[in-house]
Amino acid sequence: MEVFDVTIIGGGPAGLYSAFYSGLRNMKTKIIEVQPVLGGKVNTYPEKVIWDVGGLPPLQGRQFVQNLVEQASIFSPTICLNTKVEQIQKQDNFFVISTDCGEVHYSKTIICAVGGGILHPLKLEIEDSEKYEKTNLHYTILDMQRFRHKTVLISGGGNSAIDWAVELLSVTKDVIVIYRKEQLTAHEAQVEKLKEHGVQIMLHAEIKSFLSNDSDMIEQVIISQNEDIYAIPVDEVLISHGYQREASLTFADNIQPLRKNDYYLVSQGRCMTSVPGIFGAGDIISYDDKVGLIVGTFQDAVLAVNNAKLYIDPDANEYAMVSSHNDKFIEKNNELLKKVYSKT
Ligand SMILES: Cc1cc2nc3c(=O)[nH]c(=O)nc-3n(C[C@H](O)[C@H](O)[C@H](O)COP(=O)(O)OP(=O)(O)OC[C@H]3O[C@@H](n4cnc5c(N)ncnc54)[C@H](O)[C@@H]3O)c2cc1C
């Protein structure tokens, strides 16, 4: 039986940075991720440009995920993809982690980094709408170029929908936003950008049906707005109505961490949960002044890992040393600096 020091459930930004940091703290580390790829929610916005991570130039979600994975791989953690953690139990001094593929993993500590859980986009409730998913009905944008010089109708008024609308302005011919409520709920600054570009925004409006051609390409979207019905010609349709969250994993009865709204793990301070040995990082953990952004996941990861280290070895340093003082980087620094100086 192979017992890991720390098993991280979820391979999003919180899980990936935890993996890097636990390697730095000499812990035998495993990541378990239900999706076939690492990166978490950021994979739902691969083309979006991320501006607000300290020390990084603006970069696309796709590139950001690559960077995170590269960093997480530095200390060679074990990575299990396509594996959903279903249940966690406690046995003697370690946790037993059961997965949907029948595997069982053993670990001294757990960092729960399941973020928004397993996300499924909320689909349009219109008969036969699935058939258009093969043509021009989208629930996310995987390749911005597809939308170049096109008229795109976006349904949704939250942050995701409006972020997409703003991103698309640079490539599309026209963007039209429709939303069923009386006001968009996205960040004001993003809404302002749409207004500055004269984007048509239809409120109190909903998609009723599609008119398509013989190849099942949507050509017109039938919209109801108040009492009126409109047929809007389009090239592509993007639906951004949010996500349905699958409950993700369960804990055995004797190790139920305190939760908020049945989902979030409540931090008892420094990303510890109410169960000794189980920690939380990223969007799953809740505490006062929590920053629900990528930068917040990094701070959580550091706290969770440092406390996991102390749980295993109460005599360990409370914090890792800064990079410059850490022996683990001496060889790697030499290699990196050699490359830098060979270029000058
Ligand atoms: C459209 C959009 C745009 C955003 N833009 C920005 C931005 O510009 N800047 C910013 O800072 N933040 C942004 N965010 C927020 C940011 O993406 C999140 O804060 C961040 O992804 C949280 O990371 P996480 O690792 O906690 O969770 P997640 O990214 O949700 O990762 C959790 C991972 O856990 C996995 N998982 C869940 N349950 C299980 C299970 N039972 N077994 C195994 N694996 C499991 C999931 O598959 C997922 O990969 C944006 C979010 C969205 C939706």
Side-chain angles (χ1 to χ4, degrees):
M1 181 178 84
E2 192 178 11
V3 182
F4 281 74
D5 290 326
V6 58
T7 297
I8 299 159
I9 304 167
L16 290 170
Y17 195 69
S18 298
F20 163 72
Y21 214 79
S22 62
L24 184 64
R25 300 233 54 191
N26 285 320
M27 293 205 274
K28 183 170 165 169
T29 306
K30 181 184 275 179
I31 307 178
I32 304 180
E33 167 57 54
V34 62
Q35 302 293 348
V37 290
L38 295 167
K41 263 198 226 74
V42 185
N43 288 314
T44 65
Y45 50 96
E47 293 267 330
K48 181 185 140 143
V49 179
I50 300 173
W51 286 82
D52 53 355
V53 178
L56 280 184
L59 79 180
Q60 283 186 302
R62 181 180 291 120
Q63 181 62 50
F64 180 65
V65 167
Q66 273 175 26
N67 293 356
L68 276 177
V69 173
E70 203 176 305
Q71 185 178 37
S73 309
I74 286 177
F75 299 109
S76 310
T78 298
I79 298 173
C80 307
L81 297 175
N82 292 310
T83 309
K84 180 187 172 194
V85 169
E86 291 198 317
Q87 222 218 6
I88 299 171
Q89 301 170 52
K90 181 99 198 251
Q91 196 180 304
D92 304 324
N93 288 330
F94 50 84
F95 293 97
V96 181
I97 301 159
S98 317
T99 67
D100 60 343
C101 34
E103 287 166 2
V104 178
H105 304 256
Y106 302 94
S107 191
K108 292 180 195 165
T109 65
I110 286 179
I111 296 181
C112 194
V114 297
I118 301 166
L119 298 179
H120 305 284
L122 287 173
K123 301 266 176 119
L124 268 187
E125 285 178 11
I126 288 181
E127 211 183 318
D128 279 349
S129 66
E130 304 89 59
K131 72 179 179 197
Y132 301 116
E133 289 176 37
K134 296 192 188 102
T135 56
N136 56 348
L137 175 65
H138 311 269
Y139 288 91
T140 189
I141 293 181
L142 296 175
D143 177 11
M144 204 74 133
Q145 294 316 311
R146 183 189 168 113
F147 298 83
R148 186 165 286 282
H149 306 313
K150 292 189 174 169
T151 297
V152 183
L153 182 136
I154 301 177
S155 174
N159 282 323
S160 245
I162 302 309
D163 282 357
W164 281 126
V166 170
E167 292 291 320
L168 283 168
L169 288 174
S170 59
V171 292
T172 48
K173 181 169 148 227
D174 260 324
V175 172
I176 302 153
V177 173
I178 70 156
Y179 190 42
R180 69 193 157 86
K181 295 192 182 161
E182 66 181 278
Q183 244 186 338
L184 300 177
T185 55
H187 288 132
E188 233 173 77
Q190 292 290 82
V191 174
E192 270 318 300
K193 281 186 201 156
L194 291 189
K195 290 184 178 160
E196 278 163 21
H197 279 82
V199 167
Q200 184 185 353
I201 300 172
M202 296 173 73
L203 299 171
H204 293 294
E206 273 186 81
I207 298 179
K208 285 292 166 199
S209 59
F210 298 121
L211 297 182
S212 56
N213 64 17
D214 293 344
S215 321
D216 284 339
M217 291 284 286
I218 300 167
E219 291 186 322
Q220 293 186 48
V221 183
I222 308 301
I223 308 276
S224 74
Q225 188 184 36
N226 302 318
E227 304 295 296
D228 301 319
I229 299 287
Y230 299 91
I232 301 186
V234 295
D235 298 309
E236 306 283 345
V237 179
L238 173 67
I239 307 299
S240 184
H241 291 175
Y243 290 90
Q244 187 186 13
R245 183 151 62 188
E246 203 187 304
S248 205
L249 51 87
T250 59
F251 297 90
D253 287 345
N254 59 342
I255 51 160
Q256 285 287 341
L258 204 61
R259 300 193 115 170
K260 184 177 151 193
N261 300 336
D262 288 342
Y263 184 76
Y264 299 99
L265 299 174
V266 176
S267 172
Q268 309 295 295
R270 298 160 48 89
C271 291
M272 291 184 271
T273 69
S274 55
V275 179
I278 300 183
F279 306 87
D283 285 3
I284 179 69
I285 191 111
S286 159
Y287 53 87
D288 286 348
D289 300 330
K290 160 88 189 155
V291 176
L293 288 171
I294 290 163
V295 288
T297 72
F298 296 160
Q299 154 138 342
D300 292 350
V302 172
L303 290 170
V305 167
N306 283 333
N307 284 305
K309 179 80 182 172
L310 284 174
Y311 175 82
I312 295 173
D313 176 6
D315 295 329
N317 282 334
E318 203 173 331
Y319 296 102
M321 283 171 283
V322 293
S323 315
S324 52
H325 296 165
N326 203 304
D327 290 350
K328 298 198 91 162
F329 291 119
I330 293 175
E331 208 177 307
K332 293 181 197 300
N333 284 347
N334 285 341
E335 283 166 27
L336 280 176
L337 292 174
K338 233 186 259 168
K339 276 190 209 154
V340 173
Y341 291 126
S342 69
K343 282 187 195 149
T344 55

